[in-house]
Amino acid sequence: MARNKYDVDEDLEIEFSWEYTKRLLAYVKPYKKEMIITLIIMIIASIASLLSPYLVKIAMDTSIPNKDIKGLIGVCALILLTIVIGAACMVYKIKTMTYVGQSVIKNIRTDIFNHLQRLPFSYYDDKPHGKILVRVVNYVNSLSDLLSNGLINLVTDLLSIFVIIGFMLAINVKLTIVCMLGLPFLILVVGLLKKVQRRTTQIFSNKQSNLNAYIQESISGMKVTQAFTREKTNAEKFRKVSDENRSTWMTAVRYQMLLWPAIDNISVITISFVYLIGVSSIGNGITIGTLIAFVGYIWRFWNPIVNISNFYNTLIMAMAYLERIFETLDEPVDIDNLPGAYKMPNINGHVEFKDIVFKYDDDGREILKKVSFEVKPGENIALVGPTGAGKTTIINLLSRFYDVYSGEVLVDGNNVRNVTLDSLRKQMGVMLQDTFIFSGTIMDNIRYGKLDATDEEIIRAAKAVKAHDFIVTLKDGYYTEVNERGSRLSVGQRQLISFARALLADPKILILDEATSSIDTKTEEALQIGLDRLLKGRTSFVIAHRLSTIKNATRIMVINNGQIVEQGNHDELMELKGEYYELYSSQYDMIKAI
């Protein structure tokens, strides 16, 4: 299914299972001490509140008829005490369970974030980032009420129901049986609504995900939107996805709300029968105090049932989100340390590709077709060719951002699949085509390549790539705050900072994907001097469309249609007068014409 669109609903690929509840409870388990204490306190509060109707019965049937003022004052004092106990217990419950609920949410969100960092590039290729973000933030937040109040309230309400039934049986068995006659009808209603409630909630979660994806996409592309005056068109698209979000929410709520009037009607009918039978039986084994006490209990009987129905609605909503959360947590980490993976020794930079075949899907087209080559330590390899030929795929396989379909990628004789990812990537400096600048200072952005680097090392790396000259002209120099993605910097400045970041780690293998594509000619000339010095002694792979930047490469490989069609140094390929000659000549003629 094409999932990489904001207007395509995501089908849930796993069936509902109560295992999700068990997994959720595993997050709650570390806080079982707080849960048990809170539960005991709430049981005490529940019992205290349930004494009130019985105390009213004593007042009505004993204290008032006997004009026992002391006894009446004592009963009133006990009722007041139950209110105070209930309020104190409620304060403790709110404080403790809010802490527990938010702690569980933090732990779930942390697990999702850590898991997302381990997922392969292919996961992000297939899914809009907004649909990922909604799972980490909105869906996890939706569990807040369930975790903060729902679980404790459920247990407390269930216990309350049994205690209330005990009190009612002690008062009058016949009226208790009448009160219980409404429960079968309630169970029938819940059974009928269960499936449709879950489905409508799932549909709403899809539309909420779509809305989030479109908002994220629109914000990321706002400059393009304004440049092409697409505001009205985008506003219409937003209105459509927003209307779908509202419509599905209203449908989900409509089915959720059906449970409340059902309970209300059943309870009112039941209570009416109790009144009818109770009033007609006064003086025949039932006193006025008994009837008032029983009615007090019957209202308390239906109150926890209403609470449980609210919990049920919350659970149905939460389960729809929980399914998405655990679907994300269960997303396979295709690129991971294999069993028995060992730490990559300090590398010299010898690289070998043996009969590499790569494709994104088993039934997809081959991106690389039996590619083989060998690179000796210290060689500077340039990869050139048309867009989509497979150049970036080669360096992605070397860094093991993707796994080969067949064949072997070797570094110093070690298959990259047999070594740990950290030990492999820490010895490589990678500057991808998509330059990313994080929010923070320029110093922090360069230090991202080596977290323990000193300020002097950072400045030295910046000078080497000719980034120092523009950095010192900024208001706060290296401590200038930049926005996410470096929006206040030019594209060329962002590339220079990213280049300094890659070089700071002093890698044995350096990978540059279009590293100089957005740097002006003057800067490029200065940068080339630094590059020649920095590339010396390390194996490097450079992808460049601007062929003038790779004339001094040890070897140039021309990639086309997933194969190496030509290779050699600049002079050799120019003499060959093949594809490289045509590419270089066409660029030269274009520059000359300008």
Side-chain angles (χ1 to χ4, degrees), residues 1 8 21 52 54 58 60 99 101 115 141 188 211 237 260 345 352 356 359 362 393 415 422 484 503 524 565 576 580:
M1 183 184 74
V8 176
T21 308
S52 295
Y54 195 80
I58 294 173
M60 294 291 293
Y99 165 76
H115 189 70
N141 284 344
L188 177 64
L211 178 62
K237 288 183 178 180
W260 294 350
E352 190 173 0
I356 296 299
K359 49 186 177 181
D362 289 341
T393 301
N415 190 323
D422 283 352
E484 180 184 342
L503 293 174
E524 181 188 330
V565 294
L576 189 62
Y580 179 79

Side-chain angles (χ1 to χ4, degrees), residues 453-503:
T454 64
D455 291 357
E456 289 74 20
E457 289 176 312
I458 291 170
I459 294 170
R460 192 158 52 244
K463 286 181 176 179
V465 299
K466 303 302 178 183
H468 178 79
D469 294 341
F470 90 82
I471 293 174
V472 295
T473 65
L474 300 175
K475 181 181 177 182
D476 297 314
Y478 283 86
Y479 294 95
T480 299
E481 293 281 344
V482 292
N483 298 333
E484 180 184 342
R485 303 193 70 88
S487 59
R488 294 184 179 179
L489 300 172
S490 71
V491 177
Q493 289 172 333
R494 294 201 296 269
Q495 283 193 319
L496 289 173
I497 291 173
S498 187
F499 198 37
R501 176 197 297 163
L503 293 174

Side-chain angles (χ1 to χ4, degrees), residues 55 58-59 63 68-81:
L55 292 173
I58 294 173
S63 300
D68 183 4
I69 303 301
K70 278 189 176 181
L72 187 60
I73 292 173
V75 169
C76 292
L78 286 174
I79 292 174
L80 180 62
L81 181 62

Side-chain angles (χ1 to χ4, degrees), residues 440-451:
T441 66
I442 290 176
M443 184 76 77
D444 291 336
N445 267 279
I446 298 176
R447 187 177 274 118
Y448 201 85
K450 184 182 178 185
L451 296 180

Side-chain angles (χ1 to χ4, degrees), residues 144-309:
S144 178
D145 189 52
L146 176 69
L147 295 169
S148 298
N149 298 302
L151 295 176
I152 288 294
N153 285 349
L154 174 65
V155 178
T156 304
D157 288 331
L158 287 172
L159 289 173
S160 295
I161 289 173
F162 287 110
V163 173
I164 291 168
I165 291 173
F167 274 109
M168 289 194 300
L169 287 171
I171 293 172
N172 191 285
V173 176
K174 181 180 177 181
L175 294 180
T176 303
I177 293 173
V178 173
C179 178
M180 303 285 287
L181 290 177
L183 290 180
F185 296 99
L186 178 61
I187 293 170
L188 177 64
V189 171
V190 171
L192 292 173
L193 291 176
K194 177 183 174 183
K195 190 170 289 186
V196 69
Q197 283 180 324
R198 176 174 180 255
R199 185 57 191 155
T200 54
T201 303
Q202 283 181 335
I203 293 171
F204 166 66
S205 73
N206 281 337
K207 301 306 179 183
Q208 186 182 27
S209 178
N210 292 349
L211 178 62
N212 202 74
Y214 186 71
I215 291 173
Q216 191 273 339
E217 179 183 289
S218 298
I219 291 172
S220 298
M222 191 57 68
K223 291 182 179 179
V224 178
T225 295
Q226 294 182 3
F228 286 89
T229 62
R230 291 268 299 183
E231 292 91 342
K232 289 184 178 180
T233 303
N234 287 4
E236 180 59 28
K237 288 183 178 180
F238 177 79
R239 185 197 61 76
K240 181 180 178 182
V241 294
S242 187
D243 282 348
E244 289 177 346
N245 182 73
R246 180 191 60 182
S247 176
T248 54
W249 166 248
M250 293 301 295
T251 301
V253 169
R254 187 181 302 119
Y255 283 105
Q256 286 178 12
M257 295 303 172
L258 284 176
L259 194 57
W260 294 350
I263 293 173
D264 195 43
N265 289 330
I266 292 170
S267 65
V268 168
I269 293 171
T270 304
I271 293 170
S272 298
F273 275 107
V274 170
Y275 271 121
L276 184 62
I277 295 172
V279 170
S280 63
S281 300
I282 290 177
N284 188 21
I286 295 179
T287 65
I288 293 176
T290 298
L291 182 58
I292 292 173
F294 196 90
V295 170
Y297 279 120
I298 198 172
W299 282 113
R300 281 170 168 77
F301 173 78
W302 284 103
N303 188 56
I305 291 178
V306 171
N307 292 339
I308 291 172
S309 73

